[in-house]
Amino acid sequence: QHSRSQDSKMGASGSRANALAEFDRAHPAFKHFIEVGPGFWNYNTSFYVRKIVNIHTQMSVARLANGNYVSIDAAVLSTEAKAEFDELTANGDKLEACIHTHPFHTLAIPAFHTAYPSTETRRYIGCPRHLAKITEDTTGAKINWSGDFQNPDVLNSFTPDLEMRIPDGCEFVDPQPQKTNHLSNVFVFHPASKTVLCDDTVMYFRETGALLRLIGVKPYSMRFHRSLEGVGLYPTKEAPLQFGAWFRKMLNDWDFEHLVSAHTGPCYSVAKTNLEELLTKTEPLLQTLSERNAEEAKNGCASQADPEKQEMSDPDKCECG
């Protein structure tokens, strides 16, 4: 029984109804790649921070109208999960593209490429940071990236089967500081299943362990990434309002029911309602941030630390998936 819960000023209430919809699933026996809606599968698996807190991570698979598939993000595949993925994609033969939507979700890409390498018929598309940082797989073979999401043509590669957008008001190409600025990623909408994928911008906590509960995170609650209040948005008067307006337009434009997020799990059936609540609760904060940034600019100071004075994070400790 799912309860309705209240969260902080950056949180949205939990849902009364948060269950998978009933429909004829293509692979009803799958236990790892869950078909959220027709033609969209999500695999959510463990990812530990400091070997203590399990914040989870994810990858997904979307079926295109031509019968081929696109994988979205990469995660470590268990033997059983890989068997399901292979059954779904005909051992990768129907895998048309592998797209990677969050700059700091990188750790599983090399092994995934080893299993399903980039070819003329299997494109690898990523964020600018992927192209710069992840150049080889676990065997040393080159990853041939065919494009990055800075290019509008790349964002529209799979329209209308997949619609993709990048939030306004925050840094996508080179987020700094690397350890904490994980707000921006590509949002992916699969209309056929009424599902939106987002890794870090929004986090949905289906379950919470003791440590998360200690810091006030409640089960079935939804939040923006914590960097929204700090380094996530540009330190300008316009950026917080641009982010809010972008988010509102996304909600107005896309007809969806489900959200799959990396940290810590999926929200089924009522995601759009919960996101509308989240944005409404957060809009006063965005206005406050805008006013703060304007005042600090007027006084000649910055609300964020000067990137040139930031201590560079250990790149091996920046990744979150």
Side-chain angles (χ1 to χ4, degrees), residues 86-165:
D86 287 343
E87 181 178 344
L88 185 60
T89 65
N91 295 315
D93 289 347
K94 291 188 175 182
L95 188 59
E96 183 173 313
C98 307
I99 68 176
H100 302 275
T101 64
H102 194 288
F104 294 96
H105 283 222
T106 62
L107 297 176
I109 296 175
F112 191 80
H113 185 273
T114 297
Y116 309 98
S118 51
T119 65
E120 290 184 1
T121 57
R122 184 187 297 135
R123 291 182 289 163
Y124 267 63
I125 298 170
C127 307
R129 189 171 182 270
H130 293 134
L131 276 67
K133 180 179 175 64
I134 311 300
T135 58
E136 295 182 349
D137 68 16
T138 55
T139 69
K142 181 181 178 182
I143 299 177
N144 293 306
W145 295 97
S146 66
D148 76 70
F149 288 116
Q150 285 186 93
N151 185 335
D153 290 337
V154 173
L155 274 177
N156 294 321
S157 294
F158 305 102
T159 304
D161 296 337
L162 294 174
E163 297 181 29
M164 297 185 279
R165 298 182 183 180

